[in-house]
mmCIF file of all heavy atoms in Angstrom:
data_model
loop_
_atom_site.group_PDB
_atom_site.id
_atom_site.type_symbol
_atom_site.label_atom_id
_atom_site.label_comp_id
_atom_site.label_asym_id
_atom_site.label_seq_id
_atom_site.Cartn_x
_atom_site.Cartn_y
_atom_site.Cartn_z
ATOM 1 N N VAL A 260 -42.846 18.447 7.655
ATOM 2 C CA VAL A 260 -41.461 18.044 7.428
ATOM 3 C C VAL A 260 -40.634 19.209 6.906
ATOM 4 O O VAL A 260 -39.556 19.504 7.403
ATOM 5 C CB VAL A 260 -41.394 16.858 6.441
ATOM 6 C CG1 VAL A 260 -39.944 16.537 6.099
ATOM 7 C CG2 VAL A 260 -42.094 15.645 7.038
ATOM 8 N N PHE A 261 -41.187 19.873 5.907
ATOM 9 C CA PHE A 261 -40.425 20.965 5.294
ATOM 10 C C PHE A 261 -41.397 21.946 4.671
ATOM 11 O O PHE A 261 -42.288 21.552 3.918
ATOM 12 C CB PHE A 261 -39.476 20.404 4.226
ATOM 13 C CG PHE A 261 -38.567 21.422 3.613
ATOM 14 C CD1 PHE A 261 -37.401 21.812 4.252
ATOM 15 C CD2 PHE A 261 -38.878 21.994 2.391
ATOM 16 C CE1 PHE A 261 -36.556 22.749 3.673
ATOM 17 C CE2 PHE A 261 -38.044 22.934 1.811
ATOM 18 C CZ PHE A 261 -36.878 23.315 2.458
ATOM 19 N N ILE A 262 -41.245 23.217 4.958
ATOM 20 C CA ILE A 262 -42.061 24.269 4.355
ATOM 21 C C ILE A 262 -41.132 25.399 3.942
ATOM 22 O O ILE A 262 -40.320 25.869 4.750
ATOM 23 C CB ILE A 262 -43.128 24.800 5.328
ATOM 24 C CG1 ILE A 262 -44.118 23.687 5.708
ATOM 25 C CG2 ILE A 262 -43.876 25.971 4.703
ATOM 26 C CD1 ILE A 262 -45.154 24.117 6.720
ATOM 27 N N ALA A 263 -41.248 25.786 2.678
ATOM 28 C CA ALA A 263 -40.435 26.905 2.186
ATOM 29 C C ALA A 263 -41.324 27.847 1.389
ATOM 30 O O ALA A 263 -41.906 27.453 0.378
ATOM 31 C CB ALA A 263 -39.294 26.401 1.318
ATOM 32 N N THR A 264 -41.461 29.062 1.861
ATOM 33 C CA THR A 264 -42.210 30.087 1.134
ATOM 34 C C THR A 264 -41.208 31.049 0.504
ATOM 35 O O THR A 264 -40.401 31.655 1.204
ATOM 36 C CB THR A 264 -43.139 30.864 2.081
ATOM 37 O OG1 THR A 264 -44.072 29.948 2.655
ATOM 38 C CG2 THR A 264 -43.895 31.934 1.314
ATOM 39 N N PHE A 265 -41.264 31.134 -0.816
ATOM 40 C CA PHE A 265 -40.361 32.038 -1.525
ATOM 41 C C PHE A 265 -40.963 33.429 -1.425
ATOM 42 O O PHE A 265 -41.786 33.839 -2.242
ATOM 43 C CB PHE A 265 -40.177 31.548 -2.963
ATOM 44 C CG PHE A 265 -39.389 30.272 -3.034
ATOM 45 C CD1 PHE A 265 -39.976 29.063 -2.697
ATOM 46 C CD2 PHE A 265 -38.046 30.293 -3.376
ATOM 47 C CE1 PHE A 265 -39.253 27.878 -2.735
ATOM 48 C CE2 PHE A 265 -37.313 29.116 -3.417
ATOM 49 C CZ PHE A 265 -37.902 27.905 -3.093
ATOM 50 N N ASN A 266 -40.545 34.115 -0.370
ATOM 51 C CA ASN A 266 -41.182 35.352 0.085
ATOM 52 C C ASN A 266 -41.146 36.431 -0.989
ATOM 53 O O ASN A 266 -40.073 36.880 -1.414
ATOM 54 C CB ASN A 266 -40.476 35.841 1.345
ATOM 55 C CG ASN A 266 -41.210 36.986 2.008
ATOM 56 O OD1 ASN A 266 -42.203 37.469 1.484
ATOM 57 N ND2 ASN A 266 -40.722 37.403 3.155
ATOM 58 N N PRO A 267 -42.317 36.883 -1.469
ATOM 59 C CA PRO A 267 -42.335 37.932 -2.491
ATOM 60 C C PRO A 267 -42.016 39.309 -1.948
ATOM 61 O O PRO A 267 -41.866 40.253 -2.708
ATOM 62 C CB PRO A 267 -43.778 37.875 -3.007
ATOM 63 C CG PRO A 267 -44.564 37.388 -1.843
ATOM 64 C CD PRO A 267 -43.672 36.427 -1.119
ATOM 65 N N VAL A 268 -41.893 39.441 -0.630
ATOM 66 C CA VAL A 268 -41.643 40.762 -0.037
ATOM 67 C C VAL A 268 -40.234 41.230 -0.364
ATOM 68 O O VAL A 268 -39.981 42.413 -0.598
ATOM 69 C CB VAL A 268 -41.860 40.729 1.489
ATOM 70 C CG1 VAL A 268 -41.496 42.078 2.110
ATOM 71 C CG2 VAL A 268 -43.300 40.367 1.795
ATOM 72 N N THR A 269 -39.280 40.306 -0.394
ATOM 73 C CA THR A 269 -37.903 40.656 -0.713
ATOM 74 C C THR A 269 -37.545 40.123 -2.103
ATOM 75 O O THR A 269 -38.027 39.081 -2.535
ATOM 76 C CB THR A 269 -36.941 40.057 0.324
ATOM 77 O OG1 THR A 269 -37.076 38.640 0.296
ATOM 78 C CG2 THR A 269 -37.254 40.579 1.711
ATOM 79 N N ASP A 270 -36.666 40.871 -2.753
ATOM 80 C CA ASP A 270 -36.214 40.467 -4.090
ATOM 81 C C ASP A 270 -37.402 40.150 -4.993
ATOM 82 O O ASP A 270 -37.513 39.075 -5.564
ATOM 83 C CB ASP A 270 -35.286 39.256 -3.987
ATOM 84 C CG ASP A 270 -34.375 39.144 -5.197
ATOM 85 O OD1 ASP A 270 -34.478 40.016 -6.079
ATOM 86 O OD2 ASP A 270 -33.592 38.191 -5.277
ATOM 87 N N HIS A 271 -38.277 41.128 -5.089
ATOM 88 C CA HIS A 271 -39.579 40.972 -5.749
ATOM 89 C C HIS A 271 -39.476 40.370 -7.144
ATOM 90 O O HIS A 271 -40.237 39.473 -7.506
ATOM 91 C CB HIS A 271 -40.257 42.346 -5.804
ATOM 92 C CG HIS A 271 -41.529 42.367 -6.583
ATOM 93 N ND1 HIS A 271 -42.752 42.133 -5.994
ATOM 94 C CD2 HIS A 271 -41.769 42.585 -7.899
ATOM 95 C CE1 HIS A 271 -43.701 42.223 -6.921
ATOM 96 N NE2 HIS A 271 -43.120 42.517 -8.080
ATOM 97 N N SER A 272 -38.537 40.854 -7.958
ATOM 98 C CA SER A 272 -38.525 40.472 -9.364
ATOM 99 C C SER A 272 -38.228 38.996 -9.571
ATOM 100 O O SER A 272 -38.649 38.416 -10.567
ATOM 101 C CB SER A 272 -37.494 41.317 -10.121
ATOM 102 O OG SER A 272 -36.194 41.064 -9.615
ATOM 103 N N LYS A 273 -37.503 38.356 -8.672
ATOM 104 C CA LYS A 273 -37.116 36.971 -8.869
ATOM 105 C C LYS A 273 -38.064 35.974 -8.221
ATOM 106 O O LYS A 273 -38.006 34.785 -8.504
ATOM 107 C CB LYS A 273 -35.694 36.741 -8.347
ATOM 108 C CG LYS A 273 -34.620 37.463 -9.155
ATOM 109 C CD LYS A 273 -33.234 37.107 -8.647
ATOM 110 C CE LYS A 273 -32.158 37.796 -9.487
ATOM 111 N NZ LYS A 273 -30.792 37.474 -9.003
ATOM 112 N N LYS A 274 -38.910 36.445 -7.309
ATOM 113 C CA LYS A 274 -39.716 35.501 -6.539
ATOM 114 C C LYS A 274 -41.205 35.585 -6.825
ATOM 115 O O LYS A 274 -41.991 34.910 -6.171
ATOM 116 C CB LYS A 274 -39.454 35.708 -5.046
ATOM 117 C CG LYS A 274 -38.014 35.377 -4.669
ATOM 118 C CD LYS A 274 -37.766 35.483 -3.176
ATOM 119 C CE LYS A 274 -36.325 35.111 -2.836
ATOM 120 N NZ LYS A 274 -36.057 35.227 -1.384
ATOM 121 N N THR A 275 -41.587 36.444 -7.745
ATOM 122 C CA THR A 275 -43.000 36.526 -8.126
ATOM 123 C C THR A 275 -43.113 36.576 -9.642
ATOM 124 O O THR A 275 -42.168 36.906 -10.351
ATOM 125 C CB THR A 275 -43.676 37.786 -7.547
ATOM 126 O OG1 THR A 275 -43.038 38.940 -8.104
ATOM 127 C CG2 THR A 275 -43.590 37.819 -6.038
ATOM 128 N N VAL A 276 -44.282 36.241 -10.132
ATOM 129 C CA VAL A 276 -44.593 36.365 -11.547
ATOM 130 C C VAL A 276 -45.969 37.013 -11.663
ATOM 131 O O VAL A 276 -46.902 36.635 -10.952
ATOM 132 C CB VAL A 276 -44.569 34.999 -12.266
ATOM 133 C CG1 VAL A 276 -45.532 34.008 -11.621
ATOM 134 C CG2 VAL A 276 -44.882 35.165 -13.753
ATOM 135 N N ARG A 277 -46.074 37.999 -12.518
ATOM 136 C CA ARG A 277 -47.368 38.643 -12.754
ATOM 137 C C ARG A 277 -47.993 38.053 -14.014
ATOM 138 O O ARG A 277 -47.409 38.132 -15.100
ATOM 139 C CB ARG A 277 -47.220 40.157 -12.914
ATOM 140 C CG ARG A 277 -48.572 40.859 -13.158
ATOM 141 C CD ARG A 277 -48.438 42.356 -13.101
ATOM 142 N NE ARG A 277 -48.084 42.810 -11.760
ATOM 143 C CZ ARG A 277 -48.947 42.948 -10.772
ATOM 144 N NH1 ARG A 277 -50.234 42.632 -10.941
ATOM 145 N NH2 ARG A 277 -48.540 43.390 -9.589
ATOM 146 N N ILE A 278 -49.148 37.452 -13.855
ATOM 147 C CA ILE A 278 -49.887 36.902 -14.993
ATOM 148 C C ILE A 278 -50.863 37.963 -15.492
ATOM 149 O O ILE A 278 -51.707 38.440 -14.723
ATOM 150 C CB ILE A 278 -50.642 35.618 -14.602
ATOM 151 C CG1 ILE A 278 -49.658 34.538 -14.164
ATOM 152 C CG2 ILE A 278 -51.486 35.123 -15.770
ATOM 153 C CD1 ILE A 278 -50.318 33.246 -13.740
#
Side-chain angles (χ1 to χ4, degrees):
V260 174
F261 185 82
I262 297 177
T264 299
F265 290 76
N266 189 356
V268 176
T269 61
D270 203 1
H271 174 91
S272 63
K273 293 184 178 179
K274 295 184 179 179
T275 63
V276 57
R277 180 171 294 280
I278 298 179

